[in-house]
Amino acid sequence: MDETYFEFGTAGERWDRAQLFFDAKEYLTAARILRGLVAEHPQQTAQRLLLARAYYHSAQLTRAETELRAVLELDPVEYYARLMLGRTLERQGRAAEAAPHLRLAAAMAGETPE
């Protein structure tokens, strides 16, 4: 596909397009669109979080981890980013590193240990 297609339109139109591709499980295409949006608006966590999810679902786990850590730096109490970071680390075989993130996510969700 032509790169200009992904750059076409307002930020809002590109955000909508990225969500459509994500919902259609076209994660690589969604990521291509979202990378541009994140570059333009690096402080917006919603775009970074969806980009991290697109990376996670397309098995680009190092990139997902990078975006999730950036989200948590901007918003340390973003529950879903914390949970996803834990799962991303687990999927990379880093269970010990994932455990504190998963415990914190569970606490944020109000889950209590049994």
Side-chain angles (χ1 to χ4, degrees):
M1 277 189 198
D2 191 307
E3 197 66 33
T4 58
Y5 172 76
F6 299 106
E7 299 167 356
F8 178 76
T10 66
E13 291 167 338
R14 287 178 285 143
W15 169 248
D16 290 342
R17 188 177 310 125
Q19 289 179 307
L20 288 171
F21 278 109
F22 184 89
D23 291 343
K25 297 185 174 152
E26 294 288 337
Y27 303 118
L28 295 175
T29 305
R32 288 175 70 179
I33 298 165
L34 290 162
R35 277 193 300 266
L37 288 170
V38 167
E40 288 175 30
H41 307 282
Q43 301 300 316
Q44 293 186 0
T45 58
Q47 296 168 3
R48 281 190 182 277
L49 188 54
L50 190 59
L51 178 57
R53 291 176 64 201
Y55 284 148
Y56 179 87
H57 288 297
S58 61
Q60 297 179 65
L61 301 178
T62 302
R63 288 180 173 179
E65 179 184 350
T66 299
E67 292 303 325
L68 291 165
R69 290 188 187 279
V71 168
L72 290 170
E73 190 172 311
L74 293 166
D75 186 1
V77 295
E78 171 53 63
Y79 153 78
Y80 192 68
R82 184 75 58 189
L83 176 64
M84 275 199 65
L85 179 57
R87 289 184 178 168
T88 299
L89 294 169
E90 275 185 330
R91 199 167 161 195
Q92 293 178 53
R94 297 159 58 191
E97 196 177 338
H101 295 288
L102 294 173
R103 279 194 304 272
L104 188 53
M108 293 168 130
E111 298 173 12
T112 56
E114 295 179 22

